[in-house]
Amino acid sequence: MNWLTNVVRPKIRNILRRETPENLWIKCPDSGQLVFYKDVEANQFVIPGSNYHMRMGAVARLKSIFDNETWYDIALPEVTADPLKFRDERKYVDRIKDARAKTGLNDAIKVGYGKLEGAGVVVAVQDFDFMGGSLGMAAGEAIVRGLELAVEKKSPFIMFAASGGARMQEGILSLMQMPRTTVGVQMLREAKLPYIVVLTNPTTGGVTASYAMLGDVQIAEPGALIGFAGARVIEQTIREKLPEGFQRAEYLLDHGMIDMVVHRHEMRPTLARLCRLLTKSPALDVASKPAPQVTDPAQIVSAPEAAPAAPHA
């Protein structure tokens, strides 16, 4: 050891070392190309070269749908965090805390009310980053509350589904959310209000077996995986090789399971057009007219245990 080793080299290394964020680059799962994260984010999380649709967080999704990226969060009823005191390798409450810290969400579904090309809509978004978008008691309450609000406001309800299925840590209480949400959809249908479902990658399990396949119009993003059981389970059950692209959005479109496959860049105008058609509303010249102000949030939230919602911008 000498002064060159102890002094000069460490100083040179410190000068050349740069702190780089972990998510600076994204590798496309389809083509394998590396893309700058900011470019993907600016492109609504669609890989520019391959057109691959990455998963999109709840807040980013709501921003992409509402006018001026502004909406009101809907306050949701409180539920028991760990009703069964479940534990596997870790406590269920610890998993929930980690998911909340990671996503900034209270649970897997976020509900907002705002304007879509001038018309009021309720939008619910399932975030796959929150425990795989699993359907538990809190998620079920969020969907039911969103459906109730749509009936109160006489507005369409748009559901962005992304889930691995029911949340096993809540057992039968999680499975009960399937009929509850189905009844909620029927309530919206009896009010003759549109229920539009957008299936994103992936939408599977109990979510597919309930509210995700009950829409008046079923839309899917390109390449989205949609199904109940996994392909491997199906192959082992029927002892046959499944066709190419089975359970993908394009395959389901060809076989009549969904109504359309819509690119993410076209999603907002498509949803606005469908809402106008299904509610028989006149088209709004968005370019010449400013977006109307959203209703007072104090009037939006009527749940007695809920605090007034806060606007997002």
Side-chain angles (χ1 to χ4, degrees), residues 33 63 101 127 153 193 303 305:
Q33 69 177 119
K63 284 183 178 180
D127 196 318
K153 295 297 176 184
L193 294 168
E305 65 275 23

Side-chain angles (χ1 to χ4, degrees), residues 140-154:
E141 287 288 351
I143 296 170
V144 172
R145 177 65 194 125
L147 291 165
E148 290 174 345
L149 179 64
V151 173
E152 292 170 16
K153 295 297 176 184
K154 294 181 173 56

Side-chain angles (χ1 to χ4, degrees), residues 286-299:
V286 181
S288 60
K289 296 182 180 181
Q293 294 297 315
V294 179
T295 311
D296 181 3
Q299 300 174 5

